[in-house]
């Protein structure tokens, strides 16, 4: 992997359509309604794959139980900055300037509020707007920094916020959204992802690249083209991390995803979702229902398939 501070060649087009998982129904009454609303996982994205690797129980809470989570100022700022950088490319090349990008921030923030009114709760009402003003200033700083890392007047993305989906020969469906896809005049593909945090230390770089290799695998399987470059643009620290994948890389990722999906399938059928305590637990919204914090997960909303030779390995009943 290399670290650079300038633009490099560019990335491709892919196609995808969202699929729907079948409802699971049993019995009647309120419990049955909950079961009908729940569906077994039917596809894998980079974020959900990372959730399972971080903590299987977190994956269950997000994918199967769909427990609500409070919006965070940092994540929302990332969404805002992504929207601004996407919309900037609607402008002619010569007009893609830092002032033009920052001028997009208020409008994109209003759009976010319209779609998610609860985001207004991120900022206290009693500070006369000081918290929101500071937050928007921080977003402006991230947008400003991007112009020190890439030159948008020299870029013509083929795709932005691009939904991709493919089904592997095994039947595993992979899906995700790529921030930007560039294609060089020579046909070389570059996949770009914006990060509003800081670049990881070298020993954690492989984990950061997992998402990009996932996208590269999807593009390869869709278009039979191995992306020439994967690029992570870290606006928080002003660094650009790049990696040039080869087929062997993507084959390894594919094997890893198959193993991961098998583990998810087994947990889905058995109801056995184990918590995996880490330092990140302190940031989790689900401590109240996590056994590691003395909580009890909600009743499992899917049908449990007993394992051969004994009962399932799901959470024990309260009276056991």
């Amino acid at each position: 992997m290399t670290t650079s501070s300038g633009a490099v060649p560019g990335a491709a087009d892919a196609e995808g359509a969202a699929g729907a998982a079948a409802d699971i129904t049993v019995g009647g009454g309120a419990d049955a309604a909950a079961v009908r609303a729940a569906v077994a996982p039917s596809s894998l994205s980079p974020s959900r794959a990372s959730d399972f690797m971080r903590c299987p129980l977190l994956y269950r809470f997000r994918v199967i139980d769909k427990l609500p989570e409070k919006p965070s100022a940092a994540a929302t700022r990332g969404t805002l900055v992504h929207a601004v950088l996407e919309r900037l490319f609607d402008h002619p090349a010569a007009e893609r300037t830092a002032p033009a990008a920052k001028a997009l921030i208020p409008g994109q923030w209003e759009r976010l509020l319209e779609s998610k009114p609860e985001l207004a709760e991120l900022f206290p009402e009693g500070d006369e707007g000081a918290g929101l003003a500071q937050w928007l200033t921080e977003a402006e700083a991230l947008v400003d920094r991007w112009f020190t890392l890439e030159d948008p007047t020299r870029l013509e993305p083929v795709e932005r916020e691009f939904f991709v989906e493919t089904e592997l020969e095994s039947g595993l469906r992979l899906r995700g959204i790529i921030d930007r896809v560039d294609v060089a005049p020579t046909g070389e593909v570059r996949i770009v992802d914006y990060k509003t945090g800081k670049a990881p230390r070298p020993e954690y770089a492989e984990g950061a690249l997992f998402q990009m290799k996932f996208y590269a695998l999807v593009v390869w399987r869709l278009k039979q083209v191995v992306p020439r470059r994967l690029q992570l643009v870290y606006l928080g620290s002003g660094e650009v991390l790049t990696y040039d994948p080869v087929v062997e890389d993507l084959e390894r990722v594919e094997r890893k995803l198959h193993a991961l999906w098998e583990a998810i399938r087994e947990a889905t059928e058995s109801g056995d979702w184990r918590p995996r305590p880490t330092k990140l637990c302190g940031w989790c919204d689900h401590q109240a229902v996590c056994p590691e914090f003395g909580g009890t997960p909600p009743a499992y909303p899917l049908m449990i398939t007993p394992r051969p030779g004994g009962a399932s390995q799901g959470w024990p009943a309260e009276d056991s």
Side-chain angles (χ1 to χ4, degrees):
M1 181 173 65
T2 60
T3 304
S4 64
S5 59
V8 275
D13 96 321
E15 44 195 64
D23 283 355
I24 297 176
T25 61
V26 294
D31 289 343
V35 172
R36 281 196 296 273
V39 295
S42 62
S43 64
L44 198 58
S45 69
S47 56
R48 298 292 78 84
S50 295
D51 283 346
F52 188 83
M53 290 187 289
R54 169 182 159 188
C55 174
L57 186 58
L58 174 64
Y59 177 97
R60 177 200 147 171
F61 287 159
R62 285 179 168 169
V63 175
I64 296 177
D65 298 295
K66 294 182 172 58
L67 300 185
E69 297 183 347
K70 297 177 182 177
S72 76
T76 304
R77 184 170 52 239
T79 301
L80 174 62
V81 170
H82 275 71
V84 167
L85 298 186
E86 179 191 4
R87 295 273 65 87
L88 182 65
F89 284 101
D90 291 340
H91 293 27
E95 298 176 16
R96 297 172 196 160
T97 63
K102 289 187 286 187
L104 293 171
I105 291 177
Q108 293 302 314
W109 170 233
E110 289 301 320
R111 287 186 62 187
L112 273 178
L113 276 179
E114 288 177 9
S115 63
K116 296 183 177 181
E118 66 272 17
L119 294 179
E121 300 173 7
L122 289 170
F123 307 102
E125 296 180 358
D127 68 352
E128 299 181 347
L132 174 59
Q134 175 62 30
W135 183 82
L136 291 172
T137 297
E138 292 167 355
E140 287 187 358
L142 294 172
V143 170
D144 252 336
R145 185 168 291 146
W146 179 60
F147 285 84
T148 70
L149 303 174
E150 296 191 289
D151 181 358
T153 66
R154 299 175 57 191
L155 298 171
E156 291 297 340
V158 173
E159 299 289 352
R160 292 170 276 152
E161 293 297 312
F162 184 42
F163 175 80
V164 290
E165 182 177 65
T166 191
E167 187 171 299
L168 304 179
E169 290 184 1
S170 64
L172 171 57
R173 191 189 314 162
L174 305 178
R175 64 199 306 179
I177 298 177
I178 301 174
D179 287 347
R180 199 178 85 221
V181 178
D182 305 325
V183 176
T186 56
E188 293 178 314
V189 172
R190 177 174 62 180
I191 296 176
V192 181
D193 194 72
Y194 308 120
K195 300 294 186 186
T196 49
K198 296 181 179 180
R201 296 200 299 266
E203 59 267 33
Y204 298 114
E206 186 60 32
L209 280 170
F210 170 74
Q211 173 188 13
M212 303 303 285
K213 291 181 179 180
F214 185 110
Y215 291 146
L217 170 63
V218 174
V219 169
W220 177 43
R221 290 308 188 194
L222 275 174
K223 298 297 182 181
Q224 291 75 54
V225 173
V226 175
R228 171 69 178 81
R229 175 152 294 179
L230 311 178
Q231 180 165 303
L232 284 158
V233 181
Y234 284 94
L235 304 177
S237 55
E239 296 173 73
V240 177
L241 304 184
T242 64
Y243 183 83
D244 298 341
V246 295
V247 168
E248 290 75 17
D249 284 331
L250 305 187
E251 289 174 338
R252 280 193 292 271
V253 171
E254 189 168 29
R255 290 193 295 271
K256 179 175 183 176
L257 292 176
H258 278 129
L260 193 63
W261 188 247
E262 179 61 19
I264 290 172
R265 186 191 63 77
E266 289 180 0
T268 301
E269 292 179 355
S270 69
D272 185 10
W273 300 91
R274 306 288 176 90
R276 183 174 296 143
T278 69
K279 294 179 180 178
L280 296 175
C281 289
W283 299 91
C284 184
D285 281 342
H286 308 304
Q287 294 180 13
V289 290
C290 177
E292 290 296 320
F293 291 87
T296 301
Y300 192 54
L302 299 179
M303 298 281 285
I304 290 179
T305 302
R307 292 180 176 179
S312 73
Q313 299 299 308
W315 296 106
E318 290 185 359
D319 60 352
S320 62

